[in-house]
């Protein structure tokens, strides 16, 4: 966390996450845990006309997992499910706008894994 840009982006979304909370009567309601560090996330979403119209998350964990979920959920709102299913891990990691160490990839991908699980 020596890079000032890294700190700025990650810390801003950690302290002030977008789409934080839960959605009432969700179509998607899934939790995921990173067994390596104990980070947890719950992802809820509403689907209408083949699109993810609402998405929210709650999280307990490090700044990277929370910031990644914040950035990722911003992109997901209003997106067609067919397009969401094509998102890969690289896109999620690039969403952070900074590179992270391979050891932190599990943290950054926690929300992605929850979403993939919820779409099955």
């Amino acid at each position: 966390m020596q890079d000032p840009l890294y700190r700025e982006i990650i810390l801003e979304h950690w302290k002030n996450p977008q789409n934080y909370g839960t959605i009432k009567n969700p179509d998607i309601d899934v939790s995921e845990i990173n067994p390596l560090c104990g980070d947890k996330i719950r992802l809820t979403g509403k689907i209408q006309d083949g699109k993810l119209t609402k998405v929210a998350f709650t999280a307990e964990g490090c700044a990277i997992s929370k910031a990644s979920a914040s950035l990722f959920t911003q992109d997901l709102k209003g997106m067609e499910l067919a397009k969401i299913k094509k998102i890969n891990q690289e896109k999620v990691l690039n969403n952070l706008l900074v590179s992270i160490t391979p050891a932190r990839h599990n943290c950054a991908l926690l929300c992605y894994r929850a979403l993939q699980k919820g779409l099955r």
Side-chain angles (χ1 to χ4, degrees), residues 48-117:
Q48 186 176 3
D49 298 325
K51 292 183 179 180
L52 186 61
T53 55
K54 294 180 183 178
V55 63
F57 76 98
T58 56
E60 292 178 26
C62 70
I64 292 172
S65 64
K66 200 169 187 180
S68 181
S70 175
L71 289 161
F72 187 46
T73 57
Q74 282 182 308
D75 286 350
L76 294 174
K77 273 188 181 175
M79 191 180 285
E80 294 178 2
L81 294 180
K83 191 173 180 181
I84 290 172
K85 290 176 181 178
K86 293 179 182 178
I87 295 173
N88 61 27
Q89 294 180 8
E90 191 67 29
K91 163 121 174 72
V92 178
L93 294 173
N94 288 339
N95 223 11
L96 288 173
L97 304 175
V98 294
S99 58
I100 58 172
T101 64
R104 304 298 285 194
H105 284 190
N106 281 333
C107 299
L109 294 171
L110 193 57
C111 187
Y112 169 79
R113 287 196 313 271
L115 178 65
Q116 295 304 312
K117 186 176 169 183

